[in-house]
Amino acid sequence: MRFFFVLWLLISIVQAKPYNEIALKKIANTPVKERYCFAVMGDNRDGEEVFKKILKDIEKKDYLFAINNGDLVSYGFRYQFREYVDMIKHLQTPFVSVIGNHDIPFFGGRGNFRNYIGKPYFSFVYGESYFIVLDNANKRRIEGKELHWLKKQLKIAKQYKYRFVFLHVPLFDPRKGKRKKGHSMKDGKNANLLNKLFDKYNITMVFASHIHSYFRGKWKKTPFIITGGAGAPQSWDKGQPHYIKVCIDKKKVFYHMSHLQIIKSNPQFKLN
């Protein structure tokens, strides 16, 4: 009887391992390729049908990994994170998840995200690319320990050919004009500070979400893509279910929006 209890306990510990740790280990153990692609999406909460279609499409294609840029669940409850992990844990494609504002419950802070997904900010390397994942799920600012950590990471990233930053809430809202506040970070000074840092270290691309739509442009010198089409209700402007395909080789980075075409007469989805 004691043997079975210990076995059950060990299985529970293994199952409780935050999923990002598993995904990042798979990426680290993948031999470096000269050319590879990864997928980026955001805001799948409240849109399971669309999200599952995107996952199915990603599995059919040769993606090295995928990054979900926040708002994984609706209210940050434990059962919601369990359901989310159940959707991604059997995928062949390693799936890295970023924290968004909906992933923080009214009580409990980031505890549920940490338990099921992992650290709220972190970095990883693949080949000549450096990936920095940030936590601005408070929608206001990045400060204190995280800001200090970010500055150190940016210095390390200088050694790499490509430098990518992921954060859920965009620095600015492109619908309001150049570098204007809207459905974006509420602390304008902090957003400008981050923009200055990204400019200084020549970030290859900043990926944001939060706005349930698609936008691409520049914040001063820093290129950005906003992708919020993984299932959440879409905005009236440019909003359509989609994800971003990113391909890298020795000379260039390529970006392509793969969007879901919804056929109204027959409620099916087709990826273009």
Side-chain angles (χ1 to χ4, degrees), residues 44-172:
N44 64 279
R45 56 98 181 165
D46 300 318
E48 186 174 319
E49 186 179 1
V50 170
F51 186 50
K52 284 183 175 179
K53 292 288 182 182
I54 290 175
L55 296 183
K56 187 176 179 180
D57 191 69
I58 286 171
E59 284 288 85
K60 288 191 297 185
K61 297 175 181 175
D62 188 25
Y63 288 109
L64 187 79
F65 58 87
I67 296 182
N68 190 349
N69 208 22
D71 278 6
L72 320 174
V73 300
S74 300
Y75 300 107
F77 297 135
R78 281 182 293 177
Y79 80 89
Q80 292 177 332
F81 280 113
R82 281 197 301 269
E83 290 174 353
Y84 172 76
V85 172
D86 283 344
M87 282 192 283
I88 64 172
K89 68 182 180 182
H90 299 299
L91 300 175
Q92 293 298 311
T93 309
F95 216 81
V96 178
S97 300
V98 181
I99 193 168
N101 56 294
H102 274 268
D103 303 320
I104 306 171
F106 297 116
F107 51 89
R110 288 157 173 74
N112 292 339
F113 183 91
R114 284 181 177 274
N115 290 338
Y116 287 93
I117 307 299
K119 296 176 182 178
Y121 58 91
F122 56 93
S123 63
F124 66 97
V125 174
Y126 183 80
E128 295 185 84
S129 298
Y130 203 85
F131 300 84
I132 298 173
V133 176
L134 297 174
D135 170 10
N136 69 344
N138 62 26
K139 300 190 288 184
R140 294 186 295 276
R141 64 186 68 88
I142 290 173
E143 60 185 349
K145 289 181 180 179
E146 185 180 0
L147 182 59
H148 179 69
W149 174 88
L150 171 60
K151 290 176 179 178
K152 289 176 68 175
Q153 292 298 308
L154 290 170
K155 288 177 183 177
I156 295 169
K158 281 175 66 177
Q159 306 167 37
Y160 292 82
K161 187 171 184 178
Y162 303 119
R163 297 163 294 281
F164 300 100
V165 172
F166 301 82
L167 71 174
H168 180 68
V169 182
L171 303 188
F172 309 102

Side-chain angles (χ1 to χ4, degrees), residues 7-19:
L7 182 62
W8 171 84
L9 188 62
L10 287 170
I11 291 170
S12 298
I13 291 169
V14 171
Q15 288 177 335
K17 191 172 186 179
Y19 188 76

